[in-house]
Amino acid sequence: MPFLQSEHLGQIEYDPADVIHFPQGLPAFEGEREFLALDVPGKAPLVFLQSVSSPGLTFITLPPACIDPGYRLELPEDTPFLDAPLTVLVIVSIGRQGEVTANLLAPVVIDKNTRNAMQVVMAGSNYPVQHPLSSAPGAPPAPGRSAPACS
């Protein structure tokens, strides 16, 4: 099996069948078309999208149910190659001041059968691009709040 050396996650051995293909790349990363979705022990529910070709490019993602248990995916009718069953992830960003947000408006959608994926902008949705996260994923909930239900 091949290996890749991630700047953030170290050496990773992977099965080429596990590679997720983004035929159109990701916005601002159109040339990046192959990623691995990695679960790192002790970091659940985070999922790391590691570029296969760029060792320094790793996106931190979460299942949207970890943030909003009522999250509803709304795929545009013209969405290509995405048939159920799907994996849906939202990209987490850390701002200059340390604020942590999740992009609920444009989730990453992965077809589990074909391993094809894309970031889908849900036009007309009220979900924000920068939904604040009150505490780090996996951390105890803030006082008076229950732990997120991830699925």
Side-chain angles (χ1 to χ4, degrees):
M1 282 206 257
F3 287 89
L4 67 87
Q5 185 66 38
S6 166
E7 287 183 18
H8 306 286
L9 303 173
Q11 189 174 45
I12 300 165
E13 181 179 19
Y14 67 96
D15 183 338
D18 292 335
V19 173
I20 298 165
H21 303 277
F22 287 80
Q24 300 167 350
L26 289 163
F29 299 93
E30 287 80 8
E32 297 292 333
R33 299 190 178 214
E34 294 186 331
F35 287 82
L36 295 169
L38 303 169
D39 296 314
V40 175
K43 301 293 183 189
L46 298 177
V47 176
F48 296 85
L49 285 182
Q50 173 63 55
S51 168
V52 173
S53 61
S54 297
L57 182 59
T58 308
F59 292 102
I60 301 169
T61 69
L62 279 169
C66 294
I67 301 162
D68 179 355
Y71 186 82
R72 295 187 56 123
L73 177 66
E74 300 167 12
L75 293 176
E77 289 181 23
D78 63 347
T79 304
F81 64 75
L82 295 175
D83 295 318
L86 301 174
T87 296
V88 180
L89 299 168
V90 294
I91 296 177
V92 175
S93 298
I94 302 171
R96 295 183 194 272
Q97 306 299 321
E99 63 279 5
V100 181
T101 62
N103 183 347
L104 297 180
L105 181 65
V108 171
V109 181
I110 304 165
D111 183 316
K112 290 181 184 182
N113 294 328
T114 66
R115 309 290 297 164
N116 283 331
M118 67 185 300
Q119 187 171 14
V120 177
V121 177
M122 297 190 302
S125 170
N126 289 328
Y127 287 115
V129 171
Q130 294 183 318
H131 177 83
L133 300 181
S134 59
S135 61
R145 300 191 81 179
S146 59
C150 297
S151 57

